[in-house]
Amino acid sequence: MQKSTFLLLAGSLFFTFACQNDQKDNQPEGKQIGNLHLKDSKPQPGKNLALQYDNDASEVEAAYYYMKDGKTYAEDLSLKDSANTWVANFKIPDSAKALAFRFRTADSLDNNAAKGYTMALYNEEGEVLPGSNAHLGIYYQGLGANQKLEISKDSSMALIEKDLEKNPDLHKNWDRKYLQFLRQHKPEKAESYAKSRTASYEKRQDLTEDEAQTLMSIYTITGEKEKVDSLRRQITNNYPDGELAQRALIQQAFAAPNVEEKVKILEDYDAKVDNPEIERDFILRAIATAYQEQGNWEKMQEYAQQIQHIGIKSQVYNSVAWQMAEKGENLEMAAELSKESLDILEKEQEEQKDRREMLTPTEYKENLGRSWGMYADTYAYILYKQDKIDEAISYQEKAIKDMQDAEMHERFIQYLMEADKYEKAAKNAADFVKNNQATAKVKDWYLEAKQELDSSKEEAEKELASLEDKADEALKDELKKEMLSKTASDFSLQDLNGKQISLEDLKGKTVILDFWATWCGPCLASFPGMKKAVEQYQDNENVEFVFVNTLENGSMEERKERVSNFLEEKDYPFWVVMDEPVKEKLRTFKTAQDYGIEGIPTKIILGPDNKIKFKKVGYSGNNDKLLKEIEMMVELIEEEK
């Protein structure tokens, strides 16, 4: 498989979190946060911290996160079971400013009723460390949001601002991070803060590269393009091996019109940068890909082999191998490259040289395992093309373990059927149907396999219908648990014909808001299924589909033209409205921000009362399942009336 392998509740909620950090501080027995008990109410960096976690699960996986320098670092936390209480003792890193914990059982993630398990750290005098609350504010809207913590942006911002106000020296280290936070979450406030900080940077002549980039961010927010361009040139010249200069070379490498120009950029990089970083690997990827497109496999391998970063190198090998297999050419080389991508990942699972700081070793190994599954799917496909059907089945069976991809499941059943392994095909196809992971082809092969095993057509169809009923029942139960009743933010958006559409205009209908962009691969992959859904409900006046184009570059007119051309080319009967940036040239869009859209595609399903009933993020790769989910969500909303 070819896949690239990143409100005013400030008063009330802030005091809630402050209490979480400060309550019981005077009690010698420690501090209680949800199911977690800490033996020390005011833990310090460099000290041991003993804890108890109450949960009667047979297994609990735990991690702790420590924050410093605006970043979050993750580590596994080893727990020992002691009479329904899990205990641990670990040393807090010396440089840590704040802590957070994550507890996960086989059934669920315990996030302390969406408040999280977080705490400030203290100095020897029992005072909260400068920067501790600011780190927590950033954490809540970053990694904490991924753990489904429901901490408002206002509350997070209050934590940061209180810390900056109390500790003015933090500004020099936090301005850039705080500006990034404001641009992403509170863009209307970013400009005023940027203006307030301009003078402190402009009057200095000895700015570091990081400080100069902070000033460049300020100029970007205040709309001073000439100053941005001038400062960018200055930073690039003063720091030829710095972050900005290296990023510029990457952009040049990908934009270069031919492979010879890309190679020259690599030579320029090597001449300027003494200690190569991951940026060099991106340039190498651009060169290797260009040679691959030319069919120059020797040169492709020459540059791909120089790549140091495991994720980039294995992805290049997998991508090239998949494209070869699809074309049915150079299958022997494709098999070698594909197998190498698997070997690279297997070695990295043990060595973990490229683990990102925000992933625990366990999480990183799981991520590598998912990548291995996708790349094993490629290898199995190549083996299939080489008529090595038994080997293909063996690798495909490993590939689909813990994977939800419908196409991968489909290929597994296909290989089994072509190998006349009907019993195994029928059993696995039945499992896919029951788990809502089967495509139409898998269902057809199930019927065929059952008949090859001496079932009549009628018996096979009856058994399939029974499996589908069980799948529908399970899916409906799952959706019931996900059902919401949240007030939807108002909006007024323009459609492609210039008509303004508001939330009030849609009241009384069940509305599927599909947030998407023309550059979003998963969005576009889901559109054949969305087209079926739109056509299915086209005569139902109580159901409306609205496709919200967001996170899209260009002016409104450029976006409209791009979207219109796309819809016409693909023959999609979609009613599209255009989200608007909070401010011109910013990548933050108002409706997406108001609805908490962190990634696309995301579907927000509204009931006739204009309340949010469901929020579905991402695309499973199965359009049949997508259509079924929409049907059931509409049905559940109808049942509420």
Side-chain angles (χ1 to χ4, degrees), residues 326-346:
E326 279 195 311
K327 295 176 182 176
E329 61 185 26
N330 298 316
L331 291 178
E332 187 173 339
M333 177 178 286
E336 291 177 7
L337 292 173
S338 180
K339 185 62 168 61
E340 178 67 14
S341 75
L342 297 178
D343 292 342
I344 288 171
L345 292 179
E346 288 171 7

Side-chain angles (χ1 to χ4, degrees), residues 98-114:
L99 281 180
F101 298 90
R102 191 256 300 142
F103 301 99
R104 186 169 62 191
T105 67
D107 298 326
S108 63
L109 170 72
D110 176 7
N111 61 10
N112 189 24

Side-chain angles (χ1 to χ4, degrees), residues 199-344:
S200 65
Y201 291 93
E202 288 183 335
K203 67 183 180 183
R204 292 177 52 188
Q205 301 297 318
D206 59 342
L207 294 177
T208 65
E209 182 185 9
D210 189 69
E211 289 168 340
Q213 288 195 59
T214 299
L215 181 56
M216 195 171 74
S217 298
I218 289 173
Y219 289 150
T220 300
I221 291 171
T222 56
E224 299 174 88
K225 186 177 184 304
E226 290 184 4
K227 289 185 177 181
V228 171
D229 294 340
S230 175
L231 192 54
R232 178 181 287 110
R233 288 191 296 270
Q234 182 181 331
I235 296 171
T236 303
N237 290 332
N238 292 347
Y239 302 96
D241 60 349
E243 176 187 351
L244 203 62
Q246 292 192 48
R247 285 208 309 262
L249 288 173
I250 293 175
Q251 293 170 352
Q252 292 172 31
F254 279 95
N258 55 62
V259 70
E260 291 76 19
E261 290 296 322
K262 297 179 192 293
V263 172
K264 287 180 181 178
I265 291 168
L266 177 64
E267 293 171 351
D268 186 26
Y269 180 97
D270 288 339
K272 291 179 177 178
V273 181
D274 293 329
N275 298 303
E277 298 183 23
I278 193 172
E279 286 78 8
R280 187 176 193 270
D281 290 339
F282 284 118
I283 298 172
L284 287 167
R285 183 175 73 177
I287 296 171
T289 301
Y291 276 124
Q292 174 257 318
E293 290 171 353
Q294 290 182 0
N296 190 335
W297 310 116
E298 183 178 348
K299 281 290 186 180
M300 183 279 296
Q301 285 186 289
E302 176 187 335
Y303 285 92
Q305 286 171 354
Q306 297 181 49
I307 296 173
Q308 297 298 308
H309 190 275
I310 297 304
I312 298 174
K313 190 172 189 175
S314 59
Q315 190 274 329
V316 169
Y317 283 161
N318 174 72
S319 178
V320 172
W322 178 265
Q323 291 177 50
M324 286 177 171
E326 279 195 311
K327 295 176 182 176
E329 61 185 26
N330 298 316
L331 291 178
E332 187 173 339
M333 177 178 286
E336 291 177 7
L337 292 173
S338 180
K339 185 62 168 61
E340 178 67 14
S341 75
L342 297 178
D343 292 342
I344 288 171

